[in-house]
Amino acid sequence: SFMSSLVAASMAAAPASADPRPEPPATPVAEPAATHCETVDVTLYFAENDASLSAPAAAVLADAADRLSGCAVTWMTATALSADADGFNETITLAKARAEAVTSAFADAGLKTKSTRTDVVLRAAGDAPETASPVLARRVDVRIAARRAYSS
């Protein structure tokens, strides 16, 4: 028939050196380890004179914990600003409570480290660019250094 002649002719015209498709691997191929284990900076904001994590702060924290899932945390710093407190002692107490709330929440989320440093910044609201507004004056800036975790 005409159709079978056409197919035979087109097959004969195809180059004989065409490489066949490679066979799929017989065993599953392991994907390379994720490269997301890096230093991450997170800022968490607080309500006035409050050291508890708000829902938005908890969401930011959870997002950071998810990004670093499977990583080994090598160190963490938490720098607390509490210019909303009423006096020197109150500022230190509130800042430490906020830093503790944040580092504890990260530990509860699985980001634990033996090296955590907490700093308190003593500045009045509006005193410097980092406290230009009342909201900026009540926060904890967190830096988390992570590396790829090696499984045993």
Side-chain angles (χ1 to χ4, degrees):
S1 85
F2 174 75
M3 194 60 149
S4 62
S5 300
L6 185 61
V7 170
S10 68
M11 288 177 63
S17 64
D19 292 332
R21 290 186 175 204
E23 290 293 318
T27 58
V29 176
E31 299 230 1
T35 58
H36 65 280
C37 299
E38 58 193 13
T39 300
V40 173
D41 294 308
V42 180
T43 298
L44 303 164
Y45 297 95
F46 290 82
E48 191 170 350
N49 291 308
D50 190 2
S52 58
L53 290 174
S54 64
V60 168
L61 189 141
D63 179 60
D66 285 346
R67 284 187 306 179
L68 294 173
S69 176
C71 301
V73 176
T74 54
W75 54 263
M76 179 186 310
T77 62
T79 303
L81 286 88
S82 294
D84 53 321
D86 290 330
F88 181 77
N89 290 334
E90 292 82 4
T91 298
I92 292 174
T93 300
L94 183 57
K96 285 182 177 180
R98 287 175 174 166
E100 175 61 29
V102 170
T103 56
S104 293
F106 272 118
D108 292 345
L111 297 179
K112 298 177 185 174
T113 178
K114 292 182 180 178
S115 177
T116 300
R117 188 181 84 214
T118 303
D119 296 320
V120 174
V121 176
L122 298 174
R123 292 225 170 85
D127 198 24
E130 67 259 14
T131 62
S133 78
V135 172
L136 294 178
R138 49 181 197 255
R139 70 179 196 268
V140 176
D141 297 323
V142 181
R143 175 165 272 195
I144 304 166
R147 62 172 171 73
R148 198 172 105 209
Y150 297 99
S151 56
S152 51

